[in-house]
Amino acid sequence: MKKITFTLALLLVFIASNAQKDFQGMAVYESKTSTADFKSRMSGNKDMTPEMQKMIEERMKKMFEKTFILNFDKTSSIYKEEEKLEAPGQGQGGFRMMSSMMGGGGTYYKNAKEKTFTVDKEFMGKEFLVKDTLRNYNWKMEGETREIGGYMCYKATAVIPASKTDFRNFRPKKEEDVKKKEEEAKKEGENKSVEAKAEDKKEKKTSFFDEVELPKEITITAWYTMDIPVNQGPEGYWGLPGLILEVNDGKTIILCSKIVINPKEKTEIKASNNGKVVTQKEYDDIVTKKMEEMMEMNQGQGRGGMQMRMGR
């Protein structure tokens, strides 16, 4: 009798183990970043024609509105942008570079059990494989609930440092701050000699970064469901007792629009192995250095030219 009971227990453990091993889910996320401030600045640019403004708005929509697919099991996940056929000439130059820094790019692999992530990125024509430890979000449970797609969700928030290599974190400077700086520069210039003014004009630098600023911290608001008890979510978000269905950082909203549990076609959930292996800090340093070099290269260019190159 004891032998039968022991055998039955082993069988139940085996079944449960295999059920957990075979479990897999798929979630579709729509990502949208607000561009209202940038569009307002762009419409006030007298040097920009309506045709040019329309073209830039179309490019911005492509960069700031994307669809992603998250495939996950009990411990790991892969997050990729939905593949779309691009028209000839699309995604070139500065727009393509900025697009790769707007949450798109390659495959974002997270292993919650090992607390590690791997993501392949292309930057300035070079392939990088960023491998590092997952961020600890220190989530605060807020006690609020709401329904998303038929799933009961719970609210959690976290405050994190703003990444300087993610363009979604940049905010346009307030119009009054820009004008104040220009007035101060004008007043200072009135007291300079003709030679000094000429030298200032020669060395003047203008860039996308002259009119944007990066906050020190951003507040993340997440909504997760206990109905799908996996600590996964879109991009690098994780660490809650249920699948994250929505994330809002005050500028970008990532919202789940579809969920399929145990789809017929299984997806291999594994990390990419393409590119030069670097840590997150090493990759950030590479991007920052390249952006500084670009600012040097654009020395003396007018505002309109730089706006076109950088997607403003």
Side-chain angles (χ1 to χ4, degrees), residues 3-263:
K3 186 176 181 180
I4 295 174
T5 304
F6 179 72
T7 303
L8 182 59
L10 284 178
L11 180 60
L12 291 173
V13 170
F14 176 77
I15 293 173
S17 176
N18 275 277
Q20 181 172 335
K21 183 179 180 182
D22 294 336
F23 170 82
Q24 193 174 113
M26 185 274 290
V28 179
Y29 290 87
E30 308 295 336
S31 174
K32 186 174 183 179
T33 300
S34 173
T35 61
D37 294 332
F38 288 108
K39 285 182 179 180
S40 176
R41 294 289 181 84
M42 186 168 59
S43 62
N45 186 345
K46 297 179 181 179
D47 298 327
M48 191 171 295
T49 64
E51 292 77 14
M52 189 183 298
Q53 182 174 332
K54 183 179 179 181
M55 182 194 72
I56 293 177
E57 286 181 357
E58 290 176 352
R59 294 286 187 90
M60 289 177 69
K61 183 176 181 180
K62 182 178 178 62
M63 288 191 300
F64 289 82
E65 296 182 14
K66 298 183 176 184
T67 301
F68 295 86
I69 307 296
L70 177 76
N71 289 283
F72 58 91
D73 55 28
K74 284 290 185 179
T75 59
S76 57
S77 67
I78 52 173
Y79 184 73
K80 293 182 64 175
E81 183 177 352
E82 184 180 53
E83 295 182 1
K84 295 180 181 178
L85 184 63
E86 293 185 346
Q90 295 291 316
Q92 301 298 319
F95 283 98
R96 181 176 181 180
M97 181 195 69
M98 284 190 67
S99 182
S100 69
M101 299 167 70
M102 299 296 297
T107 301
Y108 201 121
Y109 171 83
K110 297 194 300 291
N111 189 314
K113 186 177 181 180
E114 298 177 0
K115 298 182 179 180
T116 60
F117 76 89
T118 301
V119 56
D120 54 328
K121 288 180 172 288
E122 179 186 349
F123 181 71
M124 302 296 285
K126 295 184 179 180
E127 297 284 344
F128 295 94
L129 189 65
V130 184
K131 301 179 72 173
D132 217 320
T133 303
L134 283 167
R135 179 194 296 274
N136 182 10
Y137 282 93
N138 292 317
W139 294 107
K140 177 185 177 182
M141 305 305 179
E142 299 292 348
E144 296 180 38
T145 62
R146 59 179 280 217
E147 190 176 290
I148 299 178
Y151 290 91
M152 177 59 68
C153 294
Y154 302 84
K155 183 180 179 180
T157 60
V159 178
I160 64 171
S163 169
K164 58 185 177 181
T165 59
D166 188 337
F167 273 74
R168 293 171 300 179
N169 292 330
F170 285 91
R171 274 54 170 168
K173 291 181 180 177
K174 294 180 181 179
E175 194 71 38
E176 54 266 29
D177 292 340
V178 175
K179 289 182 178 180
K180 183 179 179 181
K181 187 176 181 180
E182 290 176 349
E183 289 173 359
E184 291 176 350
K186 183 180 179 180
K187 187 175 181 180
E188 183 181 347
E190 290 175 351
N191 300 322
K192 292 186 177 181
S193 64
V194 176
E195 292 80 6
K197 289 180 181 180
E199 190 65 25
D200 285 347
K201 188 175 182 180
K202 181 180 178 182
E203 295 183 356
K204 186 179 179 182
K205 302 175 183 178
T206 58
S207 74
F208 169 83
F209 296 97
D210 290 335
E211 295 185 5
V212 297
E213 58 187 356
L214 181 69
K216 291 182 179 180
E217 297 178 330
I218 56 176
T219 299
I220 306 297
T221 300
W223 294 89
Y224 67 95
T225 178
M226 298 283 285
D227 295 338
I228 307 176
V230 297
N231 57 352
Q232 294 289 339
E235 292 189 12
Y237 298 109
W238 76 292
L240 286 166
L243 181 65
I244 299 173
L245 299 190
E246 181 179 317
V247 177
N248 188 337
D249 68 0
K251 189 77 172 178
T252 299
I253 297 177
I254 305 175
L255 176 63
C256 181
S257 59
K258 180 181 179 180
I259 297 176
V260 179
I261 300 299
N262 289 323

Side-chain angles (χ1 to χ4, degrees), residues 283-308:
Y283 178 76
D284 290 348
D285 290 342
I286 291 169
V287 173
T288 302
K289 183 178 179 181
K290 183 57 66 175
M291 297 310 299
E292 291 173 350
E293 290 176 0
M294 287 186 64
M295 291 175 67
E296 294 290 336
M297 289 173 62
N298 283 280
Q299 180 178 351
Q301 284 196 9
R303 289 178 62 182
M306 190 61 186
Q307 288 166 353
M308 279 294 295

